[in-house]
Amino acid sequence: MANSFLRKYPLPLLLSTLLTVMPLVTSSLFTGWAITHEGSLTGWTMMQWIGLTGALAVASALALVPPGFLALVYGYILGWISLPLLFAMNIVAIGMVYFLARNLKASQMLQYLEEAFPSAKNILTRFRENQLKLIFFTKLSPVLPFAVTNLLFALAGANLRRMLIGGALGMVPRTILTVWAGTKAKEIRYLLEHPNEGLATQVLLLVLLLVSSAGIGWFFRPKK
């Protein structure tokens, strides 16, 4: 029974689904918490924010909360000085997912994925040839789940250095845009309930999405 279920729903697929759905649920819970504790959050010291950032790096790696959502809160409360904290949070989370995937017997899971989806073998081969480019364009996208892409890259055999460099470069425009949106908000409730409001924000998000899609599309283009 279990074997037939896993053939129909491979473990990588189940993990990806879980890591996609979970941040949606936890974001709603975090929104309520942030709105309720807005007054106390604005009075936190930098050391408290550094400690929170460490905890949230673990939470982001486990898909408990999406980093983009956190950038709104950080931008609203801390402003531009939150950027180093957010960059560090993302890099630490990427590294954690990489090492967690290594301990999940990634080679066996990857073999299972190739057997379940034969076409995946060619995709994985091309990925290994262009790791840095695909990681960069994937992380540039404002819609692709953070934890899912980290897990898939690690399972696909991505080099840790390329994951960190590609992830860092790709997340810079997204993070700056999100923090900027946070700094422009008048109240945290409205910000978290309407994160992408404003023509400038929508245009910039569309640009990031188009550039990311073009880059990923180039990667998957048929070879001549």
Side-chain angles (χ1 to χ4, degrees):
M1 186 73 174
N3 289 335
S4 61
F5 179 81
L6 288 175
R7 289 193 191 96
K8 189 175 182 180
Y9 304 104
L11 186 55
L13 177 62
L14 295 176
L15 281 174
S16 298
T17 302
L18 178 64
L19 295 179
T20 301
V21 173
M22 191 179 296
L24 300 177
V25 177
T26 54
S27 293
S28 299
L29 298 175
F30 190 83
T31 295
W33 182 84
I35 291 172
T36 304
H37 295 82
E38 178 181 356
S40 60
L41 286 173
T42 55
W44 278 20
T45 65
M46 182 55 64
M47 288 305 298
Q48 286 176 301
W49 280 104
I50 291 174
L52 178 64
T53 300
L56 290 176
V58 178
S60 298
L62 299 176
L64 295 177
V65 63
F69 177 82
L70 296 174
L72 285 172
V73 178
Y74 272 61
Y76 174 80
I77 298 176
L78 296 178
W80 293 110
I81 63 172
S82 64
L83 285 176
L85 295 176
L86 292 167
F87 292 152
M89 180 196 303
N90 280 267
I91 291 173
V92 170
I94 291 173
M96 287 187 62
V97 172
Y98 177 86
F99 288 109
L100 286 173
R102 297 294 95 188
N103 292 325
L104 285 174
K105 298 182 179 179
S107 59
Q108 294 181 18
M109 295 179 67
L110 192 58
Q111 181 181 358
Y112 193 89
L113 180 64
E114 292 178 352
E115 291 175 355
F117 303 100
S119 60
K121 187 171 184 178
N122 291 331
I123 295 175
L124 292 171
T125 299
R126 296 181 65 180
F127 166 71
R128 295 184 184 109
E129 297 171 352
N130 301 276
Q131 290 184 27
L132 188 59
K133 292 178 181 178
L134 181 61
I135 293 171
F136 168 76
F137 284 115
T138 300
K139 290 301 178 185
L140 192 64
S141 172
V143 297
L144 294 177
F146 176 83
V148 173
T149 53
N150 288 337
L151 176 63
L152 293 179
F153 288 146
L155 291 176
N159 177 276
L160 176 59
R161 185 174 66 87
R162 292 191 179 96
M163 278 188 66
L164 293 176
I165 294 174
L169 294 175
M171 75 183 180
V172 166
R174 291 173 52 180
T175 305
I176 291 177
L177 174 60
T178 309
V179 169
W180 175 75
T183 62
K184 296 297 181 181
K186 300 299 182 184
E187 59 177 11
I188 194 169
R189 177 187 291 275
Y190 194 84
L191 170 67
L192 297 181
E193 293 177 352
H194 307 82
N196 299 322
E197 187 169 277
L199 180 60
T201 302
Q202 293 176 6
V203 169
L204 291 172
L205 283 173
L206 180 60
V207 169
L208 289 181
L209 182 60
L210 290 175
V211 173
S212 173
S213 299
I216 295 173
W218 173 86
F219 172 81
F220 286 108
R221 77 193 189 286
K223 282 191 174 182
K224 296 181 180 180

